[in-house]
Each structure stands twice: as C-alpha cells, then as structure tokens.
Amino acid sequence: MKIHDFSQGIQNGEFDSVLKKLYGSSDSTLCYQRNRYIDALDSFSVLYPKHEDIRIFSAPGRTEIGGNHTDHQNGCVLAAAVNFDVIGVVAFHDEDVIRIKSQGYDAFQFDINDLSVRHGKKDSEDIVRGIVAKFIELGVQIQGFDLYTTSDVLAGSGISSSAAFETLVGTIIDLCCNNGKAGAVEIAKIGQFAENVYFGKKSGLMDQMVSSVGGLVSIDFMDTNNPLIDSFQFDFEGAGYCLCITDTKGSHEHLTPDYVAIRSEMESVAAFFEKTCLRFVDEVAFYDKLPELRKNCTDRAILRAAHFFSENRRACQETIALKNGDIESFLQLVRESGNSSANYLQNLYSVTQPATQEIPVAIMLSKRILCETGAVRVHGGGFAGTIQAFVPLDKVECYEKEMNRIFSDGSCHRMRIRPVGGLEITK
C-alpha cells in the first residue's frame, strides 16, 4: 500500500478493527496506537524517502504465566503474548542490502551475500544476520529491504523485547519472501537459532514461541526439536482480574552467574541420575535417593530440583484451570508458584548482593494491597527486574498507584493478553 494511503487510512479509522484486536478498544488506546503508527510511517518516510509502497508488521512481547525456570530442563511452561509490541514499516528493493533503523538505536546495514558470524561485541545486526542466514539455508530467496521499527516492549522489562524483534523480522521475511510457508513455529525456531548461533546467547525457545504463536500458550519441551504447543484464550478481565507487571528497576548487571547457577545446579542433580536434565529424572527416585544425593550435590541444588518437579506440574495444572474457567484454582497455583520460587528456586535476589532486594519488597507491598485476593510472584528469570500480579479490578487503580509511588512513575504496567502473534497489519 502507498505510505500516504496507509497513514490516511489509520487516521480515518480504517484499521481500527485490527488495532482493537491487538491493543484493546478504549478510545484512549485507539488514539495512542493510531498516532504511534502514523509517527512510524512518518519516520520511515524521512529515513527512506524513495519508497512509496510499504507494509507494516507487528510482533508482541510475552509474559511468563507459569513454569519458572522449567524450560531449560525440557519442562512445561505457560506463557502469553501481550499488548506491548514492536511494529515495523518495511519496503523491499532490488539491492542485496538490508538497512534497519530502530527508534532509540543506531541504524545498521549489511550485505546479504556475506552472512558469516561476526566476532566481538554482539548487537541487533547479528540477530538479523542469523535470521536471514537461516531462511537462506532453508532455500528461501531473500530480497534486500529497508525497515524502521519502534517498540513499547521496553528492554529489561521482563517481557522479552529481543524475542519480539526476532519474531517481527522473521514474520516479515516469511510473509514477504516465502509466502508464509514457514509459519509461526518455524519462525520461533529461526529466532532462537539467530540468538544462539549469531548473538551467542544460549536461550531457550519459550520467548520466541509465545511471541510468534500468540494468545496463551502452553508448551511442553520434552522434545525440544518438536515441542508440543497449545494456544488458547482466556479473558482475565472478564473473570474480574487485571494482569500487572511491575518493573522494580533492579539492575541485571553482574547477574549472569546467578542465572547460570540455576541451570548448572539443576543439571548436577540430573547428572547424579545419569540424565542430561531434570525432565528425565524420576521424582520418586529423587526423594528416595536424597541421603546419597546430598553427598554429591549441594542443598541448594536439591531445593532447586524440588522446585522444578512441582513447578513443572503447576504449569500444566494452571493451563487446565484456565481452560476450565476456574480462576480461583489458577490463582492458588500462582501463589504456590511464587512461594516455590522464593523458598526453593531462590531467585528473588542475588546472594552476592543480599542487601539489595527490590523484588521481595515489591512482593511484600503487593501482598499488603491484595490481602487474600489475587496473586503475585516473581516474573521471568528473577534476581532483579519484574514481578507479576493478578489484581482484582476494584484494586487495580490503588495497586498501580502504590507500585508507581514506590518504584517511580511508569513502573507498573497493565497488560492484556494478545490473541495473535506476529502478523501483518491489514484492513
């Protein structure tokens, strides 16, 4: 579509049906999103003025609902795409060059005939190079393109800005160069490949899968090459609750050893049973062998393994509860998950900085406001960053105000579950 026609159509409300589906139907939300898309189109036209025909794409961030640190042990998770997303305005051309400018970041470009893995410091270019390389490996003929992106999936917010960006680029290439043949699951795997091989981060597949598939997503990683995926819908607001994520503003700097320790300690327990990960360890045998296990593994490793076994079940039970419309059972499971993460997984703060405990403070304040209602738990990797709460609608305003008072304005975000993953914006 012509860039002027697209902008005019958004301004006239011709795209309101898809905007409501992605972001909600309130007047303030629609006004914000219309202006956001128009600003993105204007920015693209300034950066790449020679293009008239453009296409617009969107990919969501994600929130982890259940399954805290289970995915890297081939476990089960429950996660959801959210209404915070990255959008991209793109135009293809005949040059063998990809040019990308993301709002707030330096522009970059590269020749698609040279997709070797770069050494040294990694950035977004490496992610895109990896995605393009994988599509070419799959036999897809890639054209050059110019892309402008803008995101409200804030980096470090715990809702995975990197996976949203990977899904956006993968969706653009799949739909524009591959007639959509790869599909959501393969796009997620391609994003993980780029992150693992080209960016050098050995991430799991959960973030990319949820962003690409959309909705609430239950994933069983028993077979990581062919995970079992079940996408479904649940209306939390209709059930009387709002999903809130609060960024406690804790620094993730120097936390890599803490994250690595969780995986390595869980795997040390698995190794005792001659298995590669805990998913393949029999839970009854685990408890039966505790005396011998304590001679070979640390107590913290054992507690973290115990968390895995119960948390893996909870992720599945939470899915069943939501599918049955049983919000009270779901909330009780979330509370149990939060207690297990705090007491067994022990990822609320770093033992190297015991005096700095933003997440426990946020959870303490949340429980004070919620009393016996709703539920709260650490969100994502933990140690610093975000908490997640399911807040009764009649307490949302109070909850948001208090979280923002303590952790600064804009810390608390009200979330909606987005029913779809990466997609092209059309009428």
Side-chain angles (χ1 to χ4, degrees), residues 306-356:
H307 164 82
F308 169 82
F309 291 121
S310 61
E311 185 74 355
N312 199 50
R313 279 194 302 276
R314 271 190 295 269
C316 300
Q317 292 166 347
E318 287 170 351
T319 297
I320 294 170
L322 291 179
K323 285 187 172 183
N324 290 336
D326 187 352
I327 188 66
E328 291 305 322
S329 293
F330 168 78
L331 292 173
Q332 180 57 33
L333 288 164
V334 173
R335 297 182 197 111
E336 292 173 9
S337 173
N339 290 335
S340 182
S341 290
N343 297 321
Y344 300 155
L345 185 61
Q346 301 178 31
N347 68 331
L348 269 58
Y349 63 92
S350 173
V351 293
T352 65
Q353 303 174 59
T356 304

Side-chain angles (χ1 to χ4, degrees), residues 395-413:
K395 293 185 176 183
V396 172
E397 188 173 344
C398 172
Y399 182 84
E400 183 179 37
K401 183 178 180 180
E402 183 68 356
M403 291 296 105
N404 287 337
R405 183 178 76 88
I406 301 301
F407 297 105
S408 78
D409 288 342
S411 296
C412 183
H413 304 282

Side-chain angles (χ1 to χ4, degrees), residues 119-134:
H119 299 289
K121 187 177 180 180
K122 304 294 186 177
D123 54 32
S124 296
E125 179 181 338
D126 297 280
I127 293 289
V128 181
R129 290 166 66 91
I131 292 171
V132 172
K134 192 62 176 179

Side-chain angles (χ1 to χ4, degrees), residues 177-189:
C177 302
N178 194 37
N179 295 316
K181 293 177 183 177
V185 172
E186 190 62 34
I187 288 171
K189 292 180 179 179

Side-chain angles (χ1 to χ4, degrees), residues 183-355:
V185 172
E186 190 62 34
I187 288 171
K189 292 180 179 179
I190 291 170
Q192 183 197 27
F193 165 84
E195 198 163 295
N196 289 353
V197 177
Y198 275 72
F199 192 72
K201 181 180 178 181
K202 299 303 180 184
S203 65
L205 187 57
M206 180 184 73
D207 295 351
Q208 293 88 349
M209 192 66 72
V210 177
S211 179
S212 190
V213 172
L216 279 151
V217 187
S218 173
I219 312 174
D220 184 340
F221 288 111
M222 173 73 87
D223 180 354
T224 54
N225 292 321
N226 296 286
L228 298 177
I229 302 160
D230 182 14
S231 179
F232 63 100
Q233 305 297 328
F234 182 83
D235 183 2
F236 283 106
E237 292 182 8
Y241 292 87
C242 179
L243 170 60
C244 295
I245 299 289
T246 298
D247 182 0
T248 66
K249 303 298 193 292
S251 173
H252 288 81
E253 191 176 5
H254 307 307
L255 290 180
T256 298
D258 293 289
Y259 296 126
V260 170
I262 288 180
R263 182 167 186 164
S264 63
E265 288 178 14
M266 285 184 175
E267 290 176 353
S268 73
V269 174
F272 173 85
F273 294 95
E274 299 182 345
K275 305 295 182 182
T276 56
C277 63
L278 288 174
R279 182 62 183 276
F280 306 115
V281 174
D282 180 75
E283 184 178 1
V284 174
F286 165 76
Y287 284 104
D288 184 56
K289 295 289 186 180
L290 276 181
E292 297 170 52
L293 191 55
R294 292 191 66 212
K295 296 175 183 178
N296 291 271
C297 300
T298 66
D299 286 340
R300 189 174 71 172
I302 291 169
L303 288 169
R304 285 173 164 172
H307 164 82
F308 169 82
F309 291 121
S310 61
E311 185 74 355
N312 199 50
R313 279 194 302 276
R314 271 190 295 269
C316 300
Q317 292 166 347
E318 287 170 351
T319 297
I320 294 170
L322 291 179
K323 285 187 172 183
N324 290 336
D326 187 352
I327 188 66
E328 291 305 322
S329 293
F330 168 78
L331 292 173
Q332 180 57 33
L333 288 164
V334 173
R335 297 182 197 111
E336 292 173 9
S337 173
N339 290 335
S340 182
S341 290
N343 297 321
Y344 300 155
L345 185 61
Q346 301 178 31
N347 68 331
L348 269 58
Y349 63 92
S350 173
V351 293
T352 65
Q353 303 174 59

